[in-house]
Amino acid sequence: GLRRAPPTTIAEKSIAVIPDALQGSDTASASFSEGMAETLISQLSRVPQLVVRSREASFAFAGSQATPAERGRKLGVASLLN
């Protein structure tokens, strides 16, 4: 698919939702976490002037060992929700 380079500037009002429960082996918890993250991304995307990273971009960091600062920088967002 199409891959975009991370933004060069980070919008002050920007967020990514990362479902960290995906790193566990509990299928029910992982499914719940993924569904909750998808719902939050959908709802937050409706907020005017708020930049919300896509599911695909955000979920790529689920279970990542990267620090929150590294995740935010790589996703080009000011805030993370996990």
Side-chain angles (χ1 to χ4, degrees), residues 10-26:
I10 296 175
E12 182 180 340
K13 296 180 181 178
S14 58
I15 191 167
V17 181
I18 302 173
D20 275 347
L22 291 178
Q23 65 189 351
S25 59
D26 181 357

Side-chain angles (χ1 to χ4, degrees), residues 4-61:
R4 295 181 184 180
T8 55
T9 60
I10 296 175
E12 182 180 340
K13 296 180 181 178
S14 58
I15 191 167
V17 181
I18 302 173
D20 275 347
L22 291 178
Q23 65 189 351
S25 59
D26 181 357
T27 304
S29 292
S31 294
F32 176 78
S33 179
E34 186 174 324
M36 182 65 78
E38 289 176 354
T39 299
L40 287 167
I41 290 168
S42 176
Q43 294 300 310
L44 289 170
S45 295
R46 296 178 184 185
V47 177
Q49 291 92 31
L50 180 62
V51 175
V52 182
R53 289 293 165 243
S54 70
R55 177 194 185 282
E56 182 179 323
S58 297
F59 280 35
F61 287 89

Side-chain angles (χ1 to χ4, degrees), residues 67-78:
T67 67
E70 291 170 330
R71 292 178 188 192
R73 189 171 41 258
K74 289 179 181 179
L75 286 165
V77 295

